Amino acid sequence: MSTVFLNGEYMPLESARVPVLDRGFIFGDAVYEVIPVYNRRIFRLDDHLRRLQHSLDAIRLANPYTEARWRELIAPVIARAETDDQGIYLQITRGPAPRDQAIPAHCTPTVFIMAMPLTAPSPDTIAHGVSAITAVDDRWQHCDIKTTSLLANVLLRQRSADAGCTETILLRDGFLTEGTASNVFVVVDGQPVTPPKSHLILPGVTYDVVLEIGGQLGVPCLQRPVSEAELHGAEEIWLTSSTKEITAVVHLDGRSVGPGEPGPVYRTFQGAYQRYKEAVMRGPRT
Ligand SMILES: Cc1ncc(COP(=O)(O)O)c(C=O)c1O
């Protein structure tokens, strides 16, 4: 049984309880992170904690812990998890308070950390890619905040689930934003292109890793707006996220992307990503 951290204590998941008046439950007044762990080594924790700080600042919630303390608190959850590869989920809500939308003057945040099984892409997914559909991005205008208020994402993602697809790729005003739980890169004339960071997308940690890999490979990724026509005409389409890593989309809205199999630029980046991951797995535990 996995051990979780809740408000200063470690306990079995089954024993973890939060009050029903918690503003995370009542309003979705909460932020979160999902951080991959490979061979019990946590991946890019500093980047995730930096984004967590951005999310907390955006919702006007003080960070309950320093970076060093977060690291200390997460370590026992990793150590006691059943598997070597995990997804560390951490969530901070504004805490319990009488129901009123205005932010209470005094509130004690709820802090929760658990280890989930990590479902990294299978060899079959890496070899053959996945399918996706497009939909109009009808989420709010603060998609850079990693909040648990995910109802729009849930409904958009369900459309691709209904269609038997892995992801819903979102278009706002005729331009690509991101997936419901991933960033999106396209390959145009052999070059990876991705929408620039803005309030319309989550600044993905994997997005940054892909940009770094591009720099190392001498295949720089362009950050510029991508039109709907470019998305549909792209030579390759990739989804990136902490759990999808780099995943090729080979069918979009029922039509083949390029020849309908993961392309050469994908394979180069995917190989580099795996080598990077392997180096982390052999590296020091944090
Ligand atoms: C909406 C959205 N965009 C992008 C991402 C990718 O972010 P990361 O690479 O940090 O996992 C996620 C991850 O869950 C997401 O939910």
Side-chain angles (χ1 to χ4, degrees):
M1 198 187 306
S2 73
T3 298
V4 304
F5 171 92
L6 180 65
N7 297 333
E9 285 178 51
Y10 294 93
M11 61 189 77
L13 177 61
E14 286 68 15
S15 308
R17 297 276 180 277
V18 290
V20 289
L21 283 184
D22 193 290
R23 290 175 62 97
F25 179 61
I26 296 286
F27 296 125
D29 188 358
V31 296
Y32 76 108
E33 281 294 326
V34 178
I35 314 163
V37 170
Y38 302 112
N39 195 26
R40 298 194 198 263
R41 271 79 166 170
I42 197 155
F43 189 74
R44 310 273 293 210
L45 178 60
D46 294 352
D47 292 353
H48 284 277
L49 291 178
R50 209 171 303 121
R51 184 172 64 189
L52 179 68
Q53 186 64 55
H54 170 81
S55 299
L56 288 167
D57 290 345
I59 72 160
R60 304 205 222 170
L61 183 55
N63 195 333
Y65 300 121
T66 61
E67 286 201 17
R69 188 70 184 132
W70 276 115
R71 206 173 270 279
E72 283 171 7
L73 293 173
I74 292 168
V77 178
I78 296 176
R80 294 180 207 174
E82 282 159 14
T83 54
D84 289 345
D85 292 354
Q86 312 147 24
I88 289 293
Y89 178 88
L90 69 86
Q91 176 172 340
I92 308 165
T93 82
R94 207 178 301 276
R99 190 186 180 286
D100 179 1
Q101 288 183 5
I103 296 175
H106 303 289
C107 223
T108 305
T110 298
V111 181
F112 175 58
I113 308 172
M114 69 173 167
M116 306 181 297
L118 188 71
T119 45
S122 65
D124 183 67
T125 295
I126 293 172
H128 301 296
V130 299
S131 300
I133 61 167
T134 57
V136 170
D137 190 346
D138 56 9
R139 299 174 302 162
W140 68 336
Q141 300 264 345
H142 300 283
C143 300
D144 56 317
I145 305 173
K146 198 162 171 68
T147 169
T148 61
S149 300
L150 286 169
L151 186 56
N153 300 58
V154 165
L155 296 176
L156 288 162
R157 169 68 184 104
Q158 188 54 36
R159 290 206 216 169
S160 48
D162 289 343
C165 296
T166 298
E167 181 59 299
T168 309
I169 294 179
L170 305 173
L171 293 154
R172 198 187 282 257
D173 301 327
F175 285 89
L176 169 66
T177 52
E178 60 179 341
T180 64
S182 56
N183 293 111
V184 180
F185 287 68
V186 299
V187 175
V188 178
D189 295 330
Q191 181 162 45
V193 185
T194 192
K197 289 183 185 173
S198 76
H199 60 290
L200 299 179
I201 68 170
L202 188 80
V205 171
T206 322
Y207 173 112
D208 285 340
V209 174
V210 171
L211 295 187
E212 285 173 24
I213 288 175
Q216 287 156 13
L217 292 172
V219 188
C221 304
L222 276 183
Q223 293 168 274
R224 65 153 173 82
V226 175
S227 71
E228 183 170 358
E230 273 183 307
L231 174 69
H232 278 111
E235 291 145 30
E236 302 183 18
I237 300 175
W238 315 337
L239 307 173
T240 70
S241 81
S242 295
T243 52
K244 292 188 181 68
E245 301 180 354
I246 313 176
T247 292
V249 175
V250 294
H251 288 101
L252 184 66
D253 292 332
R255 288 187 296 273
S256 291
V257 177
E261 57 186 45
V265 190
Y266 166 78
R267 289 187 193 288
T268 307
F269 276 71
Q270 161 64 24
Y273 192 92
Q274 292 309 320
R275 287 193 294 279
Y276 178 45
K277 233 176 89 172
E278 280 155 23
V280 170
M281 289 166 88
R282 289 191 304 268
R285 286 172 201 252
T286 46

